[in-house]
């Protein structure tokens, strides 16, 4: 019986630092993580999740340039990026399996995924997550939504509530039972709130690592890999005594979090996501570089969070 | 053993004539076809396909307004609309099942789908299919792709090759075997051509009814419904003796096609798609109004194409 591996791909799987992010660049960049995942699929059931920051930012910017077409709410833009990035990952996987000569044996699909959030989540009170284009102070006063000054300039901020449940979890469970490779939860999932006998989308962005942790829990994954642009979580980041954290229990990680070792918005939500998964199920999470996914699975690289550290 | 029903939803499932096509309108419009499909799912295995004309047109127009972000090729825009429309259909289905009180029993997903076309298809020589915004004659001279004068004005034209095969057909077959409702092949599918041990996308648009016919054949569907904005195919359209065609064999339909009864670009590809499906498998296709999907399944409405007319 194969174990289940959930791999959350960071933004650098698609766009590397300093790149404009053309489609050709994104396809090229994907080859490196996807080759590792293709090899891992021989020994593990695989779920792939991914971010969408630059892609949804571009769609927001395009919308603002153009008054000729109806503006779409953020939920729809997230759905669009799930289509775009899901296609790019899936077709790269397809080409990789063809190169490896194991194409006909694999089943794999990209799913549209929406994720329930709680309208009473305190996060709804304070939009904190910056998204989309950068404005001058004057422009920021005229745009029809809250903005905040960031290091880059003024940006739109949206709420970032906690994921409550992945709507398609039952489907995803059945798919991995049949050894389908599933690409899902793009951009943290399309955020929806329950309303009577239905859902409706909300202008929010769910953290993709937190939603990946939730899905890993809901499908009972065995290993949760958070693949990013650094080798792991670092203690004393930017200070004397800086060193990579190789292993910690959830409680130790919580202590480091409280001491402020991990920068909010980058490493903090990753450590939080890894801790949450390990606390619910007692299994293993690893934060590693995108080039080290296979080694992270083997326990040879990255920051491991597990109960017996 | 449930029979398999493939339903191709026309553009009017999402945007009705005279509407600007806000997201609220699209969600509202979807309720009517989706309620019928939800009821039909009690007796049939279901595959839903859909168009993307206005949605991909809006994305093209936005791209042109905005020089600040990298331009995306048409294949990626089609992928984006699959995310957008897949989400809207799936979440409407979700709400509908909740209303009907049968939510927990159903499995349903929206898939990203790409479709192989043949680079030697003669269609690649002559771009004929108009897409996206309308230009003046002067503007048309400056845009970086072929344009053609249409009744609305000058528009970009792209090639529209025949679908050769739906890449995800094996996955879709397994999903319907397990009674999953599958939403797929949006906008005719993302067009790709084989190149060595891989695929690459092409700037083309595949007719959504023709790709639906191909998928219906490849998954051995039993009934193929093409749901559109008119009650069926009409003989002597706009002439004396105009009447709806209730039933025809593929050979009879081919004869009417040859005599020019069906306008190209609207009813012609639908009749062609229905004929192709029935010729490959001997089963039944119906072209009907979007309000008559259930009656079309029962043989009470629409234009039926079947071997014994």
């Amino acid at each position: 019986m194969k174990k289940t591996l959930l791999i959350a791909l960071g933004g650098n799987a698609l766009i590397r630092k300093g790149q404009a992010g053309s489609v050709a660049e994104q396809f090229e960049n994907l080859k490196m993580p996807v080759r590792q995942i293709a090899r891992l699929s021989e020994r593990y059931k695989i779920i792939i999740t991914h971010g969408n920051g630059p892609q949804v930012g571009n769609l927001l910017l395009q919308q603002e340039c153009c008054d000729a077409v109806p503006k779409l709410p953020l939920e729809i833009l997230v759905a669009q990026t799930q289509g775009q990035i899901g296609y790019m990952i899936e077709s790269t996987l397809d080409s990789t399996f063809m190169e490896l000569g194991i194409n006909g044996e694999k089943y794999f699909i990209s799913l549209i995924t929406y994720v329930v959030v709680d309208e009473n989540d305190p996060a709804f009170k304070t939009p904190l997550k910056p998204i989309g284009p950068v404005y001058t102070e004057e422009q920021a006063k005229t745009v029809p939504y809250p903005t905040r000054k960031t290091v880059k300039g003024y940006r739109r901020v949206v709420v970032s509530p906690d994921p409550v449940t992945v709507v398609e979890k039952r489907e995803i469970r059945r798919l991995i039972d049949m050894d389908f490779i599933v690409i899902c939860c793009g951009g943290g999932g399309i955020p929806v709130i329950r309303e009577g006998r239905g859902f409706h989308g909300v202008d929010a962005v769910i953290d993709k690592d937190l939603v990946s942790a939730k899905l890993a829990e809901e499908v009972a994954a065995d290993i949760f890999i958070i693949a990013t642009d650094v080798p792991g979580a670092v203690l004393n980041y930017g200070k004397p005594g800086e060193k990579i954290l190789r292993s910690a229990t959830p409680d130790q990680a919580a202590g480091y979090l409280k001491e402020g070792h991990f920068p909010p918005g980058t490493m903090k939500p990753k450590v939080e996501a890894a801790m949450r998964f390990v606390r619910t199920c007692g299994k293993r999470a690893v934060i590693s570089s995108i080039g080290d996914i296979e080694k992270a699975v083997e326990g040879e690289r990255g920051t491991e969070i597990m109960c017996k550290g």
Side-chain angles (χ1 to χ4, degrees), chain A:
Chain A
M1 182 69 176
K2 280 178 172 178
K3 288 188 172 184
T4 300
L5 193 57
L6 189 147
I7 301 163
L9 293 178
N12 66 320
L14 290 146
I15 303 178
R16 303 258 194 276
K17 257 178 200 156
Q19 290 183 333
S22 72
V23 167
E25 282 169 339
Q26 296 186 52
F27 272 116
E28 186 57 34
N29 294 336
L30 274 171
K31 286 182 186 169
M32 189 257 282
V34 165
R35 273 186 196 142
Q36 297 179 74
I37 294 172
R39 288 188 293 254
L40 286 164
S41 75
E42 295 289 283
R43 294 182 292 130
Y44 294 93
K45 294 167 184 277
I46 304 274
I47 299 173
I48 304 169
T49 64
H50 60 86
N52 74 347
Q55 293 82 5
V56 81
N58 283 348
L59 286 170
L60 280 164
L61 190 52
Q62 276 183 11
Q63 285 217 136
E64 286 186 29
C65 298
C66 186
D67 290 324
V69 304
K71 298 271 183 287
L72 301 174
L74 192 51
E75 64 179 291
I76 299 290
L77 303 186
V78 174
Q80 290 179 336
T81 65
Q82 288 190 349
Q84 169 182 355
I85 303 170
Y87 161 61
M88 291 196 287
I89 296 175
E90 185 185 327
S91 63
T92 305
L93 202 49
D94 224 330
S95 300
T96 305
F97 282 136
M98 281 194 248
E99 278 170 32
L100 296 173
I102 52 174
N103 194 54
E105 300 156 30
K106 298 287 176 182
Y107 287 79
F108 48 104
I109 50 179
S110 302
L111 293 196
I112 303 308
T113 327
Y114 39 107
V115 174
V116 177
V117 296
D118 178 357
E119 59 184 325
N120 298 314
D121 188 317
F124 274 102
K125 293 197 180 116
T126 325
L128 284 174
K129 187 167 177 73
I131 57 164
V134 177
Y135 306 108
T136 64
E137 194 174 347
E138 282 64 43
Q139 286 171 324
K141 285 177 189 156
T142 65
V143 295
Y145 27 69
T147 58
R148 190 161 67 91
K149 196 176 174 180
T150 71
V151 285
K152 294 183 190 169
Y154 287 80
R155 292 179 75 195
R156 175 177 180 185
V157 281
V158 292
V159 298
S160 190
D162 251 7
V164 174
T165 188
V166 176
V167 175
E168 291 82 357
K169 60 181 174 293
R170 293 158 55 246
E171 283 81 2
I172 296 170
R173 254 188 244 131
R174 286 192 67 186
L175 290 167
I176 55 168
D177 280 350
M178 296 190 304
D179 207 11
F180 271 60
I181 299 171
V182 179
I183 302 157
C184 60
C185 286
I190 303 161
V192 299
I193 58 176
R194 289 190 204 278
E195 192 186 44
R197 291 182 173 278
F199 296 114
H200 69 85
V202 281
D203 266 358
V205 165
I206 311 173
D207 182 89
K208 78 112 175 47
D209 295 309
L210 294 180
V211 89
S212 301
K214 175 55 74 179
L215 180 64
E217 175 199 335
E218 293 188 318
V219 303
D222 297 286
I223 308 174
F224 171 31
I225 304 285
I226 301 176
T228 182
D229 54 354
V230 293
V234 166
L235 298 180
N236 302 306
Y237 182 76
K239 290 178 201 157
E242 176 177 314
K243 64 164 185 176
I244 185 164
L245 175 64
R246 276 292 286 127
S247 171
T249 64
D251 287 349
Q252 288 169 335
Y256 295 132
L257 253 181
K258 217 172 166 186
E259 290 166 27
H261 285 276
F262 312 123
T266 57
M267 190 49 73
K268 196 178 161 190
K270 294 183 199 308
V271 174
E272 176 77 34
M275 275 169 47
R276 284 191 193 180
F277 170 67
V278 176
R279 278 186 165 155
T280 55
C281 67
K283 291 170 188 164
R284 188 163 66 104
V286 192
I287 302 164
S288 86
S289 149
I290 207 124
D292 287 335
I293 294 172
E294 286 172 291
K295 287 182 175 156
V297 172
E298 302 302 329
E300 294 165 9
R301 287 282 193 293
T303 298
E304 264 186 341
I305 311 289
M306 54 193 296
C307 285
K308 288 170 186 174

